[in-house]
Structures are given as structure tokens and as C-alpha cells.
Amino acid sequence: MPRPFAESDEELYRQMRTGNQRAFAALYERREPALYRYALHMTGSRSAAEEVAQEVFVRLLGPHLHFDDRRGSLEAYMYGVARNLVRVMRRKGAVEEPVEQSIDHDILGDLIKDQATAALYRALDELPEHYRDAVVLCDLEERSYEDASRLMECPVGTVRSRLHRARALLASRLRPRQATAEAQVR
Amino acid sequence: MTKLTCRDWIPEIVECARNGAQPDAKLESHLETCPKCAMRWEDEQRLSSLLQVAREAAAGQRSREARREEIMRRFALTPKQPARGSWKWVLSAAAVLLMGIALVYVLRSGGQTSTTAPATQQVAVASAEFEEVAGDSSEFVAVAYAPPLATGEFVSVVRTELQPRALARMGIYVDAAYTNPIPADVLVGEDGFPRAVRVVSEVEF
């Protein structure tokens, strides 16, 4: 997707640290929506996702930020912060409410969608973190393997194998009961 | 040709489902004969549909204005770091200023007849005639811009060292590569202006 801004994330970050509000706003507009969606998929909760996305930027403003552009990109750093925040939230049991669904005129369709999506998020929730990360980034955020590899800070092959394994686990958990019974009979 | 096992087919099944593509002929043929892979193919397609619904739900409208305003307020209250680049500009400006001062100093000192205090013998000559003082006039070179000596004016012969630049201003050619001061006798009128110069150095310049 073509970027409307010329500066890199790292350049915007440098400028915002010196008080450039335009640079901060540009970085926020560029990264916040994706960070929110990432947190939403990782937690299954809109309010938790809002909190995580906001907290990532609050931390960027903090005096004790440990971002070093020699060690990786700012984007990867921000996703790492978001991942840690999600981990802490889950450990504290702060993630409870299910994902709200978008408004649709078809009430039955909504119901089915809601139940199916809720089931998906329940199954996602039960996955180990590194498997969930792969599904969220590659399948829900539709990032390439290379992008996901940068954000997860592991090789592309690892991302691929984690994703395939995660999908196998999700698929088996989401398989309809009838199909499971048939499979057992076979 | 090596026969592919189910383990080999799984990555293709997964990527096919992820991309919403249909299996090619070889995979199709395998799915027809392998119940396990056929089930995996169904599972993957179902999962991909669910993921699509979840993506659409997450992309739904969301009110961000309040959050955005809050973070911008926080930004306005955050103490800012000085721009790293501003130190560069300060140092650059200081360097330019120092160079400017040095240049002015060099130019002003280059216009003078000598860079060192002339440890010379001043010779007060009774006769002010240039030719008398200068002796063999071919040794002294008259300074082009100097006003003529007045009748009866006393002159002094000052032994000093002149910068090549100063000699050049007096009309004496000096190779640009030569930068050392050159010993010379300067004929100076009562007004302090040099009237002629005679180089005493044996060194070729």
C-alpha cells in the first residue's frame, strides 16, 4: 500500500521526540489502526485493544523509552510492546468481554456470524502465544511472511511452520461435531 | 519421481485455502484418494471463511476521536528533547564565526608590510632622494601605488621579512607555492608608506 507520508517511522519518531506534533500525529495515524486490530485479535476484546493501542503510544512519549533503531524497526518495537501488554493483561485476567460484532441488517446472519466469530476467538485464545501471533499477523492482519517475520523477530520459515501448525489446531477445534464423529468412524 | 506424502501436501493445502484458490490437478487427485488430507482441506477452507468474517468485524467502524484527542493532549504535555541536529548547527555557526574572524585577521595582517616586528635597523638618511638611498636602483623595486617622495623628505631603510602576498602587492612576482616570509629592505618615507623594496634573500621564489 503506497504511503502518503514521505518520512520513515524512525524519522517521524525522531521528529516527535523534539516536539514536532505533526510527526507524532502522522505516526499515530499510520500505526494505531493496525496496532488496535492486532490487539483486538490477540485479546478478543475491543476495550482491551483500545487500551493496548493507546498505551503503546503513551510509552513512545515516555522518557525511559528503550527503542534503538540499530536493533530493529520502530514498527517491530511497537508490536513488541503491544505483545507484552497483551501478555500482562491476560495474566492479570483483565481480558473478559467478547468481541462485539459489526451491525448487519440480517439478524440471523449476525447471530451465526457472532457465534462463529466468538468460537474462533475462543479457539485463538487457547493457542500458545507464538502460534496466535502467527495467525493474527498472517491471516487476520494479512501481513506477508516477510513482514510477520520482522514483527515476530524470527525467520520466515519459522513463521510459516508456526502458522501451519496453528491453523491445524484451530481447524480441529472449530470442526463441527458431526464432522468430528464421522472422522472418528473412518 | 518421488511420490509425495501427506506431509508434503499439507503446506500446499494450507496455502491454497489461505489464498482462496482451488487445488491444482495433482492435489485434487490426491484429495480424492486421501480422506485425511480431504478432511484437512475442508477444515482449512472453513477456517479461512471464519478468519474472513473476523477480519471484516475488526475493520468495522470505530470511534477514535476521543482516544486521538487524549494522546495529543499527552503529547503536548510531554517534555521535549532538544533536536540532536541543533547542536550541529550551533557548532557549525561557531566554526564559521571563528573562521571569519581568522580570515579578517589574516587579510588585515597580510596588508601590512611585515608579519613580525621589524627587527631591523632604521637608517635615517640625510638625503631624501630615492636614487641616493636606493643605491643601485636596479636592486630596489619602486612600489607602484606609493606617492612620490617630497623634496628633502627623509627616508628609512627597514630590514624586515615580508609575506609573499605583501611583495606581490608591491609588484614583485612570487611563486604561489612559496609561502615563507622573505627578508627584504623596505624604503619607507616619513609618512610611513613604503616607496621601494629590495629582496635580500638568496632563496629563489
Side-chain angles (χ1 to χ4, degrees), chain B residues 31-162:
Chain B
L31 292 174
E32 283 169 5
T33 57
C34 178
K36 193 176 162 193
C37 284
M39 174 160 287
R40 182 67 190 263
W41 170 238
E42 277 178 32
D43 288 346
E44 289 289 339
Q45 285 184 297
R46 189 181 308 114
L47 178 60
S48 290
S49 298
L50 287 172
L51 290 166
Q52 171 70 21
V53 170
R55 278 198 296 273
E56 286 165 6
Q61 282 192 357
R62 165 193 167 217
S63 174
R64 294 169 62 220
E65 269 318 300
R67 291 279 183 178
R68 193 182 186 282
E69 278 174 24
E70 187 198 330
I71 199 71
M72 289 300 163
R73 265 199 302 275
R74 280 212 187 214
F75 177 81
L77 294 171
T78 305
K80 309 297 180 285
Q81 291 175 359
R84 272 193 244 163
S86 70
W87 285 112
K88 275 193 216 166
W89 288 112
V90 168
L91 290 173
S92 299
V96 168
L97 186 63
L98 283 171
M99 281 172 59
I101 292 170
L103 190 65
V104 167
Y105 176 77
V106 166
L107 286 174
R108 290 184 72 173
S109 66
Q112 294 173 12
T113 55
S114 66
T115 55
T116 57
T120 59
Q121 292 175 345
Q122 263 196 322
V123 178
V125 180
S127 170
E129 293 296 330
F130 171 77
E131 288 75 13
E132 274 193 43
V133 174
D136 179 358
S137 63
S138 64
E139 288 184 13
F140 272 94
V141 176
V143 174
Y145 56 79
L149 286 167
T151 305
E153 185 174 352
F154 281 94
V155 295
S156 302
V157 177
V158 178
R159 169 78 45 100
T160 184
E161 286 186 337
L162 296 178

Side-chain angles (χ1 to χ4, degrees), chain A residues 29 32 139 145 167 175, chain B residues 15 44 55 62 68:
Chain A
E29 291 299 324
E32 194 274 348
D139 282 344
Y145 283 130
R167 285 179 68 107
R175 189 182 297 142
Chain B
E15 293 302 326
E44 289 289 339
R55 278 198 296 273
R62 165 193 167 217
R68 193 182 186 282

Side-chain angles (χ1 to χ4, degrees), chain A residues 14 16-21 24-25 28-29 32-33 36-37 40-41 46-47 50-51 53-54 57-58 61 100-102 113 116-117 120-121 135 138-140 142-143 145 160 163-164 167-168 170-172 174-176 179 183 186, chain B residues 10-15 17-18 35-36 38-40 42-76 78-84:
Chain A
R14 270 190 288 275
M16 69 166 249
R17 294 297 291 190
T18 65
N20 187 328
Q21 186 174 17
F24 181 66
Y28 185 82
E29 291 299 324
E32 194 274 348
Y36 165 80
R37 287 195 307 272
L40 177 64
H41 295 312
R46 288 197 191 275
S47 60
E50 293 278 6
E51 219 174 298
Q54 194 78 341
F57 284 90
V58 168
L61 295 174
E100 296 162 24
Q101 302 310 305
S102 57
K113 275 188 198 172
T117 312
L120 172 66
Y121 278 107
V135 172
C138 298
D139 282 344
L140 287 169
E142 297 187 289
R143 297 282 199 141
Y145 283 130
R160 193 177 282 121
L163 178 66
H164 289 191
R167 285 179 68 107
L170 281 176
S172 71
L174 293 168
R175 189 182 297 142
R186 285 179 206 167
Chain B
I10 295 298
E12 193 170 329
I13 289 169
V14 173
E15 293 302 326
R18 289 186 72 227
K36 193 176 162 193
M39 174 160 287
R40 182 67 190 263
E42 277 178 32
D43 288 346
E44 289 289 339
Q45 285 184 297
R46 189 181 308 114
L47 178 60
S48 290
S49 298
L50 287 172
L51 290 166
Q52 171 70 21
V53 170
R55 278 198 296 273
E56 286 165 6
Q61 282 192 357
R62 165 193 167 217
S63 174
R64 294 169 62 220
E65 269 318 300
R67 291 279 183 178
R68 193 182 186 282
E69 278 174 24
E70 187 198 330
I71 199 71
M72 289 300 163
R73 265 199 302 275
R74 280 212 187 214
F75 177 81
T78 305
K80 309 297 180 285
Q81 291 175 359
R84 272 193 244 163

